[in-house]
């Protein structure tokens, strides 16, 4: 990691000599300011802003954003002022660095109100200039990559906050690459055993299917070329957290329809649909797995055709077909829209993203941070709660879950022999609803007959419902 690495990464999409010079100057300026500071890892502090700038260059951010990434901690940690940055660089850079500073260093406090306040500042930053939030995302990504140097108890809290706030944010900004990496990094700290177990299994599957997948890739490629459809194809495996989510819902590892995927990029929309037909002529599609996100884009503007086919070697393979342009938007997110480096999100762009609409509506209708945060979580960020086990493990559940859901999530036997729960020290019924950050101990009794029949309606998760039904199916026999 050095300045040269950053410059090479920028040159891949911007060869303007002035811009390159501007970025080098910013690096040396920041290096001088952070000179005597060290990170917790013991490295010189400049490594952090440099890494943030590199992450931003990988989503092809504009020059002012890269420069602001290099300077993002200077207002907070050194003696210079916003005006110094405006004079030395330009007012846009100064505005961005000031914006990132205002959002504030997330204090990693577990205090609900504080997290709520942080979330509000973060989300309001989007309305001001979305680039402020992109810098904050890159900042978080680098902090997550180096989380091992933090104290153990902090690690889980930071990982949790990343799950709650930053990952949904990356999704709504359409930064898929950052989102997947953040998910896996958070998951690694929240549930290390499961993370390592799954990574091992996935590596094996990747090895076992490598040949089949590349054979498919070349077959599809030659058929498309024969039909005058120039294309580029890439193979990818679903990220560990995405796989975990499916397994959690009861899908077996080898039945996950998009565990393995081939991404086909072609020149225009018409060729996307032609390609879909060609692919199906080679490999039969799995019923009900064809999705047309080109005609109906996702709310974050993601566009692609999806189909899952029975591929070579009896592997289920998801095929994603999109134009090069759509792919750029899918992996880079919003930055792909920036034509003019000085552009600030305009009104038209804002309304194109459903997210901004709901965000601004919620922001104008609530006055206190906590209810704002709760509404955001309900409306846009997906409704989840996190509860603690007595050992301090963190378990994610959908909003509305009861202690029954938690018991089954921990272990089927625990659900089947559950008689009560202790929630934050209070003796409670199994069907008690759980709240975010509750500490819950499940009380079991081996002498119990099994789960109560009514529990099926008193729990929220598919898993718990299924396990209770299964118990009664067995009893009948
Ligand atoms: Mn930072």
């Amino acid at each position: 990691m050095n300045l040269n690495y950053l410059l090479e990464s920028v040159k891949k999409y911007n060869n303007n000599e002035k811009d390159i010079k501007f970025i080098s100057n910013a690096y040396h300026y920041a290096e001088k300011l952070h000179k005597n500071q060290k990170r917790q890892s013991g490295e010189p502090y400049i490594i952090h802003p440099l890494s943030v700038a590199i992450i931003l260059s990988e989503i092809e951010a504009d020059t002012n954003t890269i420069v602001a990434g290099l300077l993002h901690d200077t207002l907070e940690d050194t003696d210079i002022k916003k005006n110094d940055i405006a004079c030395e660089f330009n007012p846009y850079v100064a505005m961005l660095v000031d914006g990132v500073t205002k959002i504030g260093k997330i204090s990693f406090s577990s205090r609900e109100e504080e997290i709520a306040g942080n979330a509000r500042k973060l989300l309001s930053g989007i309305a001001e200039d979305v680039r402020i939030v992109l810098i904050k995302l890159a900042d978080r990504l680098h902090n997550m990559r180096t989380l091992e140097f933090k104290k153990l108890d902090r690690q889980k809290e930071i990982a949790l906050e990343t799950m709650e706030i930053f990952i949904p944010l990356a999704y709504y900004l359409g930064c898929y690459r950052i989102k997947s990496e953040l998910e896996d990094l958070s998951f690694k700290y929240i549930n290390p055993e499961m993370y390592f177990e799954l990574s091992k299994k996935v590596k094996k599957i990747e090895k076992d299917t490598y040949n089949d997948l590349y054979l498919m890739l070349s077959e599809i490629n030659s058929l498309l070329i024969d039909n005058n459809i120039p294309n580029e194809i890439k193979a990818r495996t679903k990220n560990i957290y995405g796989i975990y989510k499916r397994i959690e819902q009861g899908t077996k590892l080898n039945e996950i329809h998009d565990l393995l995927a081939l991404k086909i990029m072609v020149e225009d929309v018409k060729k996307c649909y032609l390609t879909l037909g060609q692919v199906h002529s080679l490999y039969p599609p799995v019923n009900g797995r064809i999705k047309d996100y080109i005609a109906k884009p996702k709310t974050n503007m993601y566009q692609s055709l999806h189909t899952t086919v029975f591929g070579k070697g009896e592997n289920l393979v998801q095929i994603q077909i999109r134009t090069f342009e759509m792919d750029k938007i899918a992996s880079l997110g919003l930055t792909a829209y920036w034509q003019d480096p000085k552009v600030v999100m305009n009104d038209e762009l804002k309304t194109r993203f459903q997210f901004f609409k709901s965000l601004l509506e919620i922001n104008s209708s609530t006055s206190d941070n906590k209810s704002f945060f709760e509404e955001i979580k309900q409306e846009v960020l997906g409704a989840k709660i996190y509860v603690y086990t007595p050992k301090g493990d963190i378990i994610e559940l959908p909003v509305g879950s009861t202690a029954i859901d938690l018991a089954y999530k921990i272990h089927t036997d625990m659900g089947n022999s559950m008689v009560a729960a202790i929630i934050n020290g209070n003796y409670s019924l199994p069907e008690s609803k759980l709240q975010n950050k509750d500490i819950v101990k499940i009380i079991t009794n081996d002498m119990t007959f099994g789960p109560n029949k009514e529990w099926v309606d008193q729990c929220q998760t598919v898993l718990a419902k299924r396990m209770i039904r299964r118990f009664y199916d067995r009893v009948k026999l």
Side-chain angles (χ1 to χ4, degrees), residues 28 121 423:
H28 294 298
K121 281 191 262 173
I423 304 174

Side-chain angles (χ1 to χ4, degrees), residues 39 45 48-49 52 69 72-73 77 100 105 135-136 138-140 142-143:
R39 296 203 87 212
Y45 195 83
H48 170 62
V52 169
H72 82 271
D73 278 330
D77 295 343
V100 174
K105 280 203 190 309
I135 296 168
K136 204 69 205 168
D139 180 44
R140 175 53 61 110
H142 185 244
N143 286 334

Side-chain angles (χ1 to χ4, degrees), residues 299-300 350-359 380:
T299 49
N300 64 3
K350 275 181 198 164
T351 50
R352 285 179 79 183
F353 285 80
Q354 193 57 43
F355 174 59
F356 291 104
K357 230 178 106 211
S358 7
L359 181 69
V380 261

Side-chain angles (χ1 to χ4, degrees), residues 1-53:
M1 286 285 128
N2 55 26
L3 173 61
N4 217 29
Y5 187 93
L6 169 64
L7 297 181
E8 287 309 312
S9 171
V10 172
K11 281 180 195 162
K12 279 183 200 154
Y13 65 96
N14 178 2
N15 237 327
N16 185 316
E17 237 171 79
K18 254 182 158 173
D19 285 345
I20 299 294
K21 188 89 187 61
F22 196 54
I23 293 169
S24 318
N25 288 346
Y27 173 81
H28 294 298
Y29 186 81
E31 191 186 31
K32 218 186 258 169
L33 287 170
H34 290 298
K35 204 164 111 201
N36 295 315
Q37 297 165 358
K38 289 236 184 309
R39 296 203 87 212
Q40 263 155 330
S41 61
E43 290 174 308
Y45 195 83
I46 187 67
I47 295 293
H48 170 62
L50 175 66
S51 306
V52 169

Side-chain angles (χ1 to χ4, degrees), residues 167-185:
I167 290 169
L169 206 53
Y171 173 80
Y172 281 102
L173 293 176
C175 303
Y176 277 88
R177 239 188 266 162
I178 291 186
K179 174 185 164 271
S180 323
E181 191 182 344
L182 281 178
E183 278 180 340
D184 281 2
L185 285 167

